[in-house]
Amino acid sequence: MTLSKRSIKGWFLSFFREVFVYHNSSLEFRAKLLAAMIATNQHMDECEIKILENIAKEIYPDDEARVDVLVRTTKEYVKKIIEKNGLELNELIKSINRELKEEKRFCEKVNIERLSRFLECSQGDEETQLTQTRILEYLQNEIEAYQPQ
């Protein structure tokens, strides 16, 4: 198995993101938002991965390294939730809420339209769609409450 330079750089930046990634807290916050939507499905398949990658490219159109770090970080959160490895969805949502309260500028990072794209991956799974819809509604209410005037 050969690793490309991009893959190695992405892994390195992801692993050391607190030190080497500019505005790491913003990237972490976005990863949490994306992970909350994906983890409700209790698995990550090609549909979620494709949407995640597209959203990451939209957020960071001129920075492949940040795209890679955002995707990797999101996958880390999702994996922890799905495998019940030290993180639960409710904890993640509480963390998002706490960060919205503390950092009002993060309200601008919440893009309901982008997040709602994950609903297409849960077609036919009413429980997952209901949970995702509730998360979207919750986020909408939170950004309305915390958004700087």
Side-chain angles (χ1 to χ4, degrees):
M1 180 175 116
T2 59
L3 295 174
S4 69
K5 285 183 182 181
R6 180 178 174 200
S7 177
I8 292 169
K9 181 179 179 181
W11 176 86
F12 182 83
L13 288 175
S14 181
F15 191 76
F16 294 106
R17 63 185 171 260
E18 292 86 15
V19 177
F20 293 111
V21 177
Y22 181 68
H23 286 295
N24 177 61
S25 61
S26 174
L27 187 142
E28 287 280 334
F29 179 76
R30 284 182 161 135
K32 289 176 183 180
L33 290 171
L34 295 164
M37 290 301 291
I38 295 168
T40 59
N41 210 3
Q42 291 302 308
H43 67 280
M44 181 183 264
D45 62 20
E46 282 301 313
C47 181
E48 284 93 359
I49 292 169
K50 183 178 178 183
I51 291 171
L52 171 60
E53 289 172 350
N54 287 338
I55 290 172
K57 289 174 186 173
E58 289 172 17
I59 294 170
Y60 304 116
D62 300 321
D63 193 341
E64 286 185 26
R66 285 183 79 80
V67 168
D68 287 345
V69 174
L70 179 58
V71 169
R72 287 175 190 269
T73 305
T74 302
K75 286 180 178 180
E76 286 176 24
Y77 281 119
V78 172
K79 184 177 179 182
K80 283 183 176 184
I81 293 169
I82 291 172
E83 294 179 357
K84 299 179 184 356
N85 188 9
L87 185 62
E88 293 181 12
L89 183 59
N90 287 338
E91 289 177 56
L92 184 65
I93 292 172
K94 286 178 185 177
S95 174
I96 291 168
N97 185 17
R98 188 172 41 255
E99 290 182 46
L100 282 170
K101 282 182 185 177
E102 293 171 4
E103 293 289 337
K104 304 292 188 227
R105 66 186 172 86
F106 282 175
C107 290
E108 299 167 9
K109 310 294 182 198
V110 180
N111 185 313
I112 300 298
E113 180 274 321
R114 283 183 179 145
L115 294 172
S116 65
R117 292 180 200 167
F118 290 105
L119 289 168
E120 76 181 57
C121 298
S122 58
Q123 293 292 330
D125 183 347
E126 290 181 31
E127 185 176 332
T128 298
Q129 283 211 320
L130 180 61
T131 304
Q132 288 174 327
T133 301
R134 286 186 177 158
I135 290 171
L136 292 170
E137 290 169 352
Y138 173 77
L139 290 171
Q140 184 65 48
N141 289 333
E142 294 302 292
I143 59 174
E144 288 173 7
Y146 298 132
Q147 200 160 32
Q149 302 300 325

